[in-house]
Structure formats: C-alpha cells, structure tokens
C-alpha cells in the first residue's frame, strides 16, 4: 500500500487550480443513465471514486470514453444490466446513486445495501422511503435492495434528516416520474444544485434546488447534454487550511468562493487575510500562527462536516483552545488519535473534541482511516517537526486529485512511497 511522506516546517507559498468536485461529479455521472443520448462531462477530476463509478457504469453496459479535450463521454443508451454489486458498493457508498436513475429509467434496480462505514452508520432508509412514496416496490434481501416500478409517480416527500445523496437520488428519480414531486427538507449543498443544473441541461424541470424545497415536474424523456462540473469546495478549503496552518500564502484559482462562506468565515476568525475574487481565493497568514476557532458541523450553508478534520488539525497547532462539535456523523473523529500521536492535545467526549493548541507537533508514522481524516493528517504533517509518514493513502486518492503534486507546487516537501515501510 502506498504511503505519503511529509517533511514539516516549510510555509506554503503559491498558486493552484481547484479540481472538479468529487461529490458533484459522482451523481452527475450516475445521472447520465437517465439520458436518451450521449453526455459530455468536463472538469472531471482524476479520482479513484470516479474510476469506481466508471467501472460500475461500464459493468451495466454504459459506454464510456474520453475525447481530445479530456471530457468524459457517457452513453447509457445500451445499458442492459441493472445491478450494482457488493464488490463495488463496499468500496464506494456513493454507488447507491444509481438506484434512483435505474428505477426511473429502467423500472428496476438491484443495488447492494452499503454496509457500515468508518465515519458512521450511514443508513439509506430515506432514499428507500422516498422511492416507495413514488410508487417503487422495494425489498431488501440477500444484502441487496431490489426495486421495481412501472412508471414512478410524483409525490410529496418530507425527509426527516437532511441527506445529500438521498436528495440527489430522489431528484434523479423524480425527473422522469409522472406528475409533480416535492422534496421537503431537501439538502441545499452546492453539489445538489450542480446536479439539478445538469439535469436541467438534459431537459428536466426542477425548481428550488439550493433551497429546502425542491419541486420537480416529471418529463417523458431526457436528452444528452454537455456540462462542466462545479469546482471542489472541500479541496479548495483543504488547501486554504494548509496555507493557514503553515503561516503561508495560498491562492486557489478556478474555484467558487460562494460555496465556501462558512469555511472562509472561520479562516478569517483564525486570523487569515483573505482576498476573494469571483473565481479565486487567496489566503495569507504573513507568517502568523492561526488562532483556535470553535467549529460545529451541520448541513449547508453551515460549516461542512467534510472540513471538520482539517480544522481539528488547524486547532491542534493554533494559539488558544477550541471546541469542535461533529453533528452530522457519529464517528467522524478517527483522525484525533492519529493527531495525538504527533503530540496534539485533544480530549474527545462524545461528538465533541476539545482541542488545545500546542506550540509544536512532532513527525510520526500515521494511519489514514477515511478520506477527510487522511487529508487532516497530511496537513498536520506539513507543520510537524521532522518526517510524518501517512500510510493507507488510498483513502486520499478517492477524493483529492494529485494532492502531493499540488502541495509540492505550493512548496511542500512531500513525496509518495509506492509501498509502506512499516509492517
Ligand atoms: N441519513 C439517514 N438516513 C438516510 C440518509 C442519511 O439517517 O437515508 C443520515 C446519515 O446517517 C447522516 C446524515 O443523515 O447522519 C447526513 O448524511 P448524508 O446522507 O447527507 O450523507 P451522504 O449523502 O451519504 C454526502 C457526501 C459526504 C458528506 C455528506 C454530508 C457524497 C457522495 N458524499 O454523503 O462526503 O460528508 O454528504 O455532507 O456526496 C466526503 O466527501 O468525504 C464525504 C463523506
């Protein structure tokens, strides 16, 4: 298994480009199942989760290609297999996103029920409840969700928890349903809006994406389209935190500052100077140490759970103490024990971490446990004295495009080892 080695203590200084958003491109690729013609998707990040999605679609008979502009071409007109097997779903929970499109377009789906996850139990009951409300017959048997429907029909669906992929699955199902679907307490994440815009470009009739009520008027068919994926707000935020932790200067180009308000607010509170343009963000700490900032995660537009681990790392070396409260996933503190191996002073109590900033962290071998936790360990490695070796970096490759190349471009001393050194 590959590992990343970071030599800490070098302030970052430079410019990078944001990649396309992982959590937007995955539903968009799955939504291509709904189209009656080929789709051309640009700004697709090179990520393990995109490879897994392509493999999943390919197994179903979807034709995939890349053109001379490096755009991904997806033609699902020959789709002939309606199964998402356990072997793929267990490596990527977002595979559940084929459920809505398959039932809506083909009237049947067999999707492995995702199992537990490193960050929480993550059930999919709301996805199933919403599809049933639209008339799908659902049975869970042999570890698989078996769904069947003639044509789905519009329904009023009230989600009792805000769910991102749940909202996306139901929106994708509703675009081809007969009649009007209203999703209440819908997720307002920018990735949900991006999916809605993609579906609209295929001819779908959707209103209210980005608010808590989404109304979808079903249409008889959707056509192929061309679409550029939204920039990744979490990747952008991760690099800005890296700049802040190292006391450096980082400019992220080709990004969308309007999707990052809560994160930028916290970076400002931590003492960062921020210059914000329409499609760039420049952070400058002028060599200063960040101040500790309290964090409480919640659905968009509040502070994102996907940035919690990175800010826990920032607080670990900040001036002062802060409280980090994780409200979205019940077990998303796997990075804490690893940060403590570098010398961080963190006390965990249920869903709250009390972080007291220390003057110095010291490099050590660490284990990556999930995507964002792994990113926080790389950030900590950038400031830890000596060498930090982060093992199991395949977690990072699921969601960060060329993280070590981008960090190296900013001046970090970072390299990848093809195999682990520690047993
Ligand atoms: N929930 C239910 N029932 C459901 C669905 C969700 O109880 O049917 C609960 C979950 O257990 C959780 C909460 O609702 O406590 C929110 O989970 P949500 O469904 O919103 O998460 P998700 O859709 O599975 C997406 C992102 C995650 C991100 C979360 C929260 C994708 C592919 N994944 O997951 O991204 O953390 O929303 O914003 O969009 C990541 O990129 O590292 C990542 C984990």
């Amino acid at each position: 298994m590959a590992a990343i080695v970071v030599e800490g203590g070098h302030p970052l200084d430079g410019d990078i480009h944001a990649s396309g958003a992982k959590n937007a491109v995955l539903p968009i690729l799955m939504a291509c199942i709904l189209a009656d013609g080929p789709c051309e998707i640009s700004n697709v990040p090179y990520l393990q989760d995109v490879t897994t999605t392509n493999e999943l679609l390919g197994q179903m008979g979807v034709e995939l290609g890349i053109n001379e502009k490096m755009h991904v071409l997806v033609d699902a007109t020959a789709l002939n297999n309606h199964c998402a097997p356990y072997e793929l779903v267990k490596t990527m929970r977002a595979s559940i996103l084929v459920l809505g499109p398959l039932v809506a377009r083909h009237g049947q789906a067999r999707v492995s029920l995702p199992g537990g996850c490193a960050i929480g139990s993550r059930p999919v009951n709301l996805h199933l409840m919403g599809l049933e409300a639209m008339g799908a017959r659902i049975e869970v048997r042999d570890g698989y969700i078996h769904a069947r429907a003639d044509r789905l029909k519009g329904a009023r669906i009230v989600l009792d928890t805000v769910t991102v992929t749940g909202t996306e699955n139901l929106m994708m199902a509703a675009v081809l349903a007969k009649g009007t679907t209203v999703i209440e307490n819908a997720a307002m994440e920018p990735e949900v809006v991006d999916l809605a815009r993609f579906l609209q470009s295929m001819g779908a009739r959707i209103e209210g994406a980005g608010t808590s009520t989404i109304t979808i008027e079903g249409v008889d068919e959707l056509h192929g389209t061309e679409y550029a994926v939204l920039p990744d707000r979490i990747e952008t935020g991760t690099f800005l935190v890296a700049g802040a932790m190292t006391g450096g200067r980082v400019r992220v180009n080709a990004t969308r500052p309007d999707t990052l308000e809560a994160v930028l607010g916290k970076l400002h509170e931590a003492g960062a100077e921020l210059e914000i343009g329409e499609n760039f963000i420049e952070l400058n700490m002028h060599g200063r140490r960040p101040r500790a900032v309290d964090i409480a995660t919640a659905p968009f537009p509040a502070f994102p759970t996907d940035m919690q681990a990175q800010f826990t790392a920032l607080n670990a070396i900040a001036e002062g103490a802060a409280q980090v409260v994780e409200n979205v996933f019940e077990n998303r503190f796997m990075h804490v024990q690893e940060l403590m191996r570098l010398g961080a002073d963190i006390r965990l109590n249920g869903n709250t971490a009390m972080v007291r900033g220390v003057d110095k962290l010291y490099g050590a071998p660490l284990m990556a446990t999930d995507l964002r936790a792994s990113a926080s360990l790389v950030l900590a490695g950038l400031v830890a004295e000596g060498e930090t070796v982060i093992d199991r970096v395949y977690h990072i490759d699921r969601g960060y495009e060329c993280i070590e190349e981008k960090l190296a471009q900013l001046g970090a001393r970072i390299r990848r080892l093809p195999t682990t050194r520690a047993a």
Side-chain angles (χ1 to χ4, degrees):
M1 260 176 274
I4 281 181
V5 184
V6 191
E7 183 194 298
H10 307 281
L12 300 187
D13 186 2
D15 299 13
I16 49 162
H17 272 71
S19 296
K22 170 180 86 79
N23 290 345
V25 73
L26 302 181
I28 285 173
L29 289 171
M30 317 277 191
C32 294
I33 291 175
L34 295 161
D36 277 345
C39 299
E40 183 176 328
I41 319 292
S42 54
N43 204 28
V44 174
Y46 180 66
L47 300 173
Q48 186 54 44
D49 274 9
V50 170
T51 307
T52 306
T53 302
N54 290 345
E55 199 178 328
L56 178 62
L57 294 172
Q59 281 197 5
M60 292 177 173
V62 175
E63 284 171 25
L64 293 142
I66 293 183
N67 69 10
E68 67 290 348
K69 289 183 274 181
M70 297 305 283
H71 297 177
V72 174
L73 307 172
V74 189
D75 186 347
T77 45
L79 188 146
N80 56 8
N81 170 10
H82 309 104
C83 178
Y86 178 63
E87 292 65 43
L88 289 176
V89 178
K90 75 175 178 199
T91 66
M92 190 186 72
R93 300 179 59 85
S95 310
I96 189 75
L97 286 165
V98 294
L99 183 61
L102 281 177
V103 178
R105 178 74 179 75
H106 295 273
Q108 56 176 308
R110 186 169 160 263
V111 178
S112 171
L113 195 63
C117 171
I119 64 177
S121 61
R122 305 183 74 181
V124 292
N125 56 308
L126 298 171
H127 304 228
L128 306 188
M129 176 278 287
L131 284 172
E132 277 178 331
M134 282 189 251
R137 299 177 296 282
I138 292 181
E139 214 188 323
V140 177
R141 143 169 70 79
D142 322 321
Y144 277 80
I145 302 160
H146 300 257
R148 279 191 173 272
D150 301 324
R151 185 169 180 194
L152 293 172
K153 43 185 194 315
R156 181 165 179 275
I157 300 164
V158 182
L159 299 171
D160 57 26
T161 304
V162 176
T163 160
V164 175
T165 51
T167 302
E168 291 166 347
N169 237 339
L170 298 177
M171 193 162 70
M172 289 188 284
V175 287
L176 285 178
K178 188 167 176 52
T180 307
T181 299
V182 180
I183 306 174
E184 300 279 8
N185 199 26
M188 301 189 282
E189 267 65 5
E191 294 76 16
V192 173
V193 179
D194 208 41
L195 173 64
R197 290 189 54 221
F198 174 66
L199 292 167
Q200 284 164 338
S201 76
M202 293 160 87
R205 295 175 58 190
I206 302 173
E207 272 176 29
T211 75
S212 61
T213 303
I214 303 179
T215 305
I216 304 127
E217 196 74 53
V219 296
D220 290 339
E221 55 182 34
L222 296 169
H223 51 78
T225 185
E226 288 178 21
Y227 195 77
V229 176
L230 173 82
D232 198 314
R233 64 191 166 107
I234 306 300
E235 186 208 28
T236 299
T238 301
F239 282 105
L240 293 176
V241 172
M245 286 175 71
T246 61
R249 183 195 72 87
V250 168
R251 179 180 168 119
V252 185
N253 292 314
T255 191
R256 278 269 304 272
D258 59 316
T259 61
L260 274 148
E261 281 181 14
V263 169
L264 296 177
K266 286 295 167 187
L267 285 168
H268 178 71
E269 206 180 312
E273 181 186 293
L274 293 166
E275 190 191 335
I276 300 169
E278 204 183 317
N279 61 0
F280 76 88
I281 304 166
E282 181 163 328
L283 171 144
N284 201 334
M285 288 300 283
H286 298 286
R288 289 188 306 262
R289 181 180 175 189
R291 287 191 294 272
V293 284
D294 288 335
I295 299 290
T297 68
F300 193 85
F303 189 90
T305 174
D306 290 344
M307 285 299 300
Q308 179 261 104
Q310 299 87 321
F311 272 80
T312 303
L314 178 139
N315 282 332
I317 51 92
E319 205 175 300
Q323 182 173 285
V324 177
V325 185
E326 174 54 58
N327 292 309
V328 179
F329 291 114
E330 66 270 23
N331 191 30
R332 206 171 198 180
F333 277 124
M334 305 283 276
H335 43 288
V336 164
Q337 296 304 328
E338 299 299 301
L339 290 172
M340 285 168 68
R341 301 196 67 250
L342 301 179
D345 179 356
I346 307 177
R347 265 183 309 135
L348 256 188
N349 186 6
N351 71 337
T352 302
M354 272 304 306
V355 190
R356 201 168 291 281
V358 294
D359 291 342
K360 243 182 182 16
L361 295 174
Y362 298 92
L366 302 176
M367 200 76 92
T369 49
D370 71 79
L371 172 57
R372 309 303 171 187
S374 320
S376 77
L377 303 183
V378 172
L379 300 188
L382 293 172
V383 292
E385 192 175 296
E387 223 175 60
T388 298
V389 182
I390 301 135
D391 202 351
R392 301 199 177 167
V393 294
Y394 60 85
H395 289 291
I396 298 191
D397 298 332
R398 291 188 52 190
Y400 288 91
E401 184 172 53
C402 309
I403 190 165
E404 70 267 34
E405 278 94 335
K406 287 190 178 184
L407 283 171
Q409 200 175 320
L410 296 172
R413 309 279 166 88
I414 184 167
R415 66 183 199 280
R416 184 175 286 242
L417 296 180
T419 49
T420 47
R421 297 189 303 184

